[in-house]
Structure formats: C-alpha cells, structure tokens
C-alpha cells in the first residue's frame, strides 16, 4: 500500500468535508471547518512521508491526527445520541462523515504498520 498517497487522499477528503460544511452552512459557523483542521495536518504529514527517510515518522504523525479526527466528533455524537439530541442535519452529517473517513484512514494505517512490521521481521 502506498500510504503517503492514501494519507494525501484522506487528508483532502477531510478538508473537503470541512469546506463543504462551511460553504453549505452559508459560512455561518467556523466550527464547520473542524474536519479541515484535522485533514490539513494529515495531508502535510502524508506529503512529508513521500520522502523515504521521513516515511515512518510522517505516517505515524498522520495516524495520530486520524485518531484525533475520529475521537473528536465521536465525543460529541455519542453523548448527543444518548440524550436523544442528535440531529442528522448538515452539521451532524459532517460529524458522521468525519468519523467514517478518519476511522477508515486509521484502520488502513494500522494495517500498513502491521504489514511493515511483519515484513521487517521476515
């Protein structure tokens, strides 16, 4: 797997979710850009990881931002859902999209890290 390329795509997806939520919400709230605030460091870390000497550190940094990008909206969605207050509107949809995109990215990172470790041990 070309993880720097995958990280670049997922970073751009999160930026797209943030910008789309901000524009779709008529630029009323800057909090709609939160997915982009997680996508940008994933993108930058992944671009750095294209350099072979920086691959490991760049992708580990990207994975950390992926985990944070998964947990941050989850920390809002779960309590809202338990209280019966979660609404599937633009903001709720963006939070769910951020959870899904970040979760898939982290899962791919973990798989890649395990594969790399097995390859080193072999």
């Amino acid at each position: 797997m070309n993880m720097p390329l995958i990280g670049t795509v997922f970073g751009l997806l999160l930026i797209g979710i943030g910008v789309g939520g901000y524009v779709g919400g008529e630029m009323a709230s800057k909090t709609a850009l939160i997915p982009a605030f997680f996508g940008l460091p994933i993108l930058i870390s992944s671009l750095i990881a294209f350099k072979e000497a920086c691959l490991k550190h760049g992708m580990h940094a990207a994975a950390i931002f992926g985990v944070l990008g998964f947990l941050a909206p989850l920390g809002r969605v779960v309590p809202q859902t338990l209280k019966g207050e979660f609404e599937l509107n633009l903001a709720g949809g963006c939070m769910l999209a951020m959870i899904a995109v970040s979760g898939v990215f982290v899962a791919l990172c973990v798989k890649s890290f395990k594969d790399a470790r097995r390859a080193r041990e072999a």
Side-chain angles (χ1 to χ4, degrees):
M1 266 190 294
N2 185 348
M3 285 309 295
L5 178 60
I6 291 170
T8 300
V9 169
F10 277 84
L12 289 171
L13 282 172
L14 286 169
I15 291 169
I17 292 167
V19 171
Y22 183 65
V23 171
E26 299 176 355
M27 300 178 214
S29 175
K30 291 189 174 145
T31 59
L33 290 169
I34 289 173
F37 297 147
F38 287 90
L40 186 60
I42 290 172
L43 174 64
I44 292 169
S45 299
S46 298
L47 292 174
I48 290 169
F50 274 106
K51 185 175 179 184
E52 188 65 33
C54 300
L55 175 65
K56 191 174 185 179
H57 295 300
M59 289 315 301
H60 278 89
I64 289 169
F65 285 105
V67 169
L68 294 173
F70 176 77
L71 293 176
L74 193 66
R76 291 195 61 199
V77 169
V78 170
Q80 287 178 355
T81 302
L82 292 175
K83 292 178 186 174
E85 298 172 356
F86 181 76
E87 293 181 34
L88 191 54
N89 53 19
L90 180 63
C94 286
M95 284 192 287
L96 292 177
M98 185 175 172
I99 290 168
V101 169
S102 297
V104 170
F105 176 65
V106 170
L108 289 171
C109 286
V110 169
K111 182 187 179 328
S112 173
F113 297 157
K114 284 182 176 181
D115 291 347
R117 183 173 164 206
R118 286 188 191 118
R120 271 194 317 273
E121 291 173 354

